[in-house]
Amino acid sequence: MLHLDDFPLGMIDRVEIVRGPGSALYGSEAMGGVINLITRRPTNGVSGGFDMRYGQNRYGEAETPFFRGNLSGSNGKVGFALSTSINSRDNYDRDKSDYLSDGDNYETAAGSGMLTWEAAPGHSISGGMDYSRTSQDGNRVMSYGDSKKEVDWDRRSLFASYEGRLSGNLDLMLRVNSSHYENDNQNYKIGSNDGGIPLTPAGDPYHLEQDMNQFESRISSLILGRQLLTAGVEYRLENRKDNEVDSDVNNSALFFQDEFWLSDVLLAVAGARFDHHSEFGSEFSPRVGATLFPESNFRIKGSYGEGFRAPTIYELHVQKDTPSNLGVANPELDAETSSGFEIGAEGETGPFSARA
């Protein structure tokens, strides 16, 4: 479970967007596209940067101080990359007729670190961790009276990976990830004789823990400079535990993709992925595409792909009673599926470019 606010912005090097269903390579959730966050790698020498900003609304509320910084470098075969970000927003309330906040107090702090080691020419090992903590509190108008809601999120994750060229044009990637997420949620009744200070908890506190462990292996080979073959396996285990439910699901996957030149002006792509989920069963996701280059600065593209989204543990098992019945578990849910196609043309000449 990852919220974009949890991720240290200083660790992002660039963002790639893949349009259309992409489950053939990315698996569950890639229903209509993929946003790929490329993290910052160690630089030659030492470099860093930071930025600060501050804002508020026109009424002097919702103050939003922000800080972000990063530092990276390398020495010989060892490199590092560090980043941190701190962000907060004060509450605001323009409607004074009730106790409800228009906007809550919100604070988040995140940090990330990575180490890399070039074990041998063409072979690198890297590892790192990131941590974030977010808190939120605000006023609520409830059936039992005015209350203050307090929520805390904690997320930490570890990863390790190996990338290397085994022989010739054969490349291997191995990666393991482990993450832990916690959420604490509590409402407090407001005492009328104590200046609005919370006096007693309203109901039981809600505590959630979720763990995810994942292994991925990918191998690729460039054949005669005209065909790139990629194949891989993936295994993911998730466990979710809250006040009432303790459940786990797992997913195994095989995927394959072939990029090849049919001629000097026609590039084709074909791929597929087979997933087996412990709760909803098996899913097959194909993808095909082609790009025609009639001129060096003009391209015609077409693609078709399918995507799916596996039900989460929350949707399958966690029955959380709310006044609006927002959380209704259903262990009989199937995966959502999508299919999409795209055709277009793009090109450039001089300082101009266009895409349709």
Side-chain angles (χ1 to χ4, degrees):
M1 180 180 295
L2 173 63
H3 193 281
L4 287 179
D5 287 343
D6 295 339
F7 201 86
L9 297 180
M11 201 64 180
I12 299 177
D13 181 55
R14 65 186 189 277
V15 178
E16 294 180 349
I17 299 176
V18 182
R19 297 190 305 274
S23 289
L25 279 184
Y26 297 98
S28 180
E29 309 295 331
M31 294 279 283
V34 175
I35 299 175
N36 194 14
L37 303 180
I38 310 299
T39 56
R40 191 181 301 274
R41 302 288 297 183
T43 56
N44 294 325
V46 178
S47 65
F50 73 93
D51 64 87
M52 301 175 63
R53 61 178 182 261
Y54 171 86
Q56 59 179 251
N57 66 17
R58 62 180 296 184
Y59 304 103
E61 301 175 313
E63 294 181 286
T64 54
F66 174 84
F67 170 82
R68 173 179 63 186
N70 66 82
L71 181 68
S72 62
S74 60
N75 184 8
K77 297 182 178 182
V78 179
F80 71 94
L82 305 171
S83 69
T84 185
S85 62
I86 302 173
N87 187 22
S88 67
R89 185 197 67 197
D90 287 346
N91 72 328
Y92 58 94
D93 186 12
R94 301 308 306 151
D95 182 2
K96 307 298 184 182
S97 63
D98 59 26
Y99 183 72
L100 178 68
S101 301
D102 291 334
D104 294 345
N105 287 306
Y106 179 87
E107 296 181 359
T108 183
S112 180
M114 172 192 294
L115 287 174
T116 63
W117 175 46
E118 186 181 359
H123 300 266
S124 65
I125 297 173
S126 60
M129 67 174 295
D130 59 79
Y131 174 81
S132 67
R133 179 174 178 82
T134 302
S135 61
Q136 179 180 359
D137 66 82
N139 300 335
R140 300 291 187 270
V141 178
M142 305 296 286
S143 59
Y144 52 77
D146 296 340
S147 70
K148 179 178 286 291
K149 182 175 183 177
E150 295 184 355
V151 186
D152 293 296
W153 298 269
D154 283 275
R155 185 183 65 84
R156 59 182 182 268
S157 62
L158 302 168
F159 83 91
S161 68
Y162 161 82
E163 297 182 38
R165 174 149 293 184
L166 301 183
S167 63
N169 292 323
L170 189 63
D171 295 322
L172 174 66
M173 185 277 292
L174 302 172
R175 180 182 294 127
V176 291
N177 297 284
S178 179
S179 66
H180 178 78
Y181 171 84
E182 290 189 27
N183 173 271
D184 288 285
N185 190 324
Q186 177 68 70
N187 283 358
Y188 294 91
K189 293 180 182 179
I190 302 299
S192 59
N193 298 325
D194 216 344
I197 298 176
L199 293 181
T200 57
D204 295 330
Y206 178 74
H207 179 74
L208 163 72
E209 294 186 25
Q210 184 164 315
D211 293 282
M212 189 275 290
N213 296 290
Q214 182 177 6
F215 168 78
E216 180 183 357
S217 175
R218 183 175 302 193
I219 192 166
S220 60
S221 179
L222 181 64
I223 301 175
L224 301 177
R226 298 182 62 86
Q227 186 174 14
L228 179 62
L229 297 172
T230 303
V233 298
E234 181 183 310
Y235 178 78
R236 184 173 66 252
L237 173 65
E238 296 180 72
N239 175 264
R240 183 182 179 112
K241 180 190 300 183
D242 69 356
N243 292 8
E244 300 175 356
V245 174
D246 184 357
S247 180
D248 61 75
V249 298
N250 64 78
N251 187 87
S252 303
L254 301 170
F255 56 91
F256 171 83
Q257 179 170 285
D258 189 6
E259 301 178 48
F260 53 96
W261 290 92
L262 290 173
S263 69
D264 291 338
V265 297
L266 182 60
L267 175 66
V269 179
R273 181 183 178 106
F274 177 81
D275 285 86
H276 181 75
H277 194 280
S278 59
E279 295 284 346
F280 75 82
S282 301
E283 194 72 32
F284 179 75
S285 305
R287 184 175 186 270
V288 293
T291 303
L292 178 65
F293 299 83
E295 300 290 341
S296 61
N297 62 342
F298 181 68
R299 299 167 295 282
I300 301 173
K301 298 181 176 182
S303 66
Y304 171 83
E306 296 183 2
F308 75 97
R309 191 184 78 85
T312 66
I313 295 179
Y314 183 87
E315 295 166 321
L316 291 169
H317 300 296
V318 177
Q319 182 72 47
K320 184 168 177 60
D321 295 327
T322 64
S324 54
N325 295 321
L326 294 178
V328 180
N330 181 3
E332 302 302 321
L333 286 175
D334 291 328
E336 298 176 54
T337 59
S338 68
S339 58
F341 65 90
E342 179 180 5
I343 187 168
E346 60 185 38
E348 55 277 333
T349 177
F352 302 100
S353 63
R355 175 189 295 168

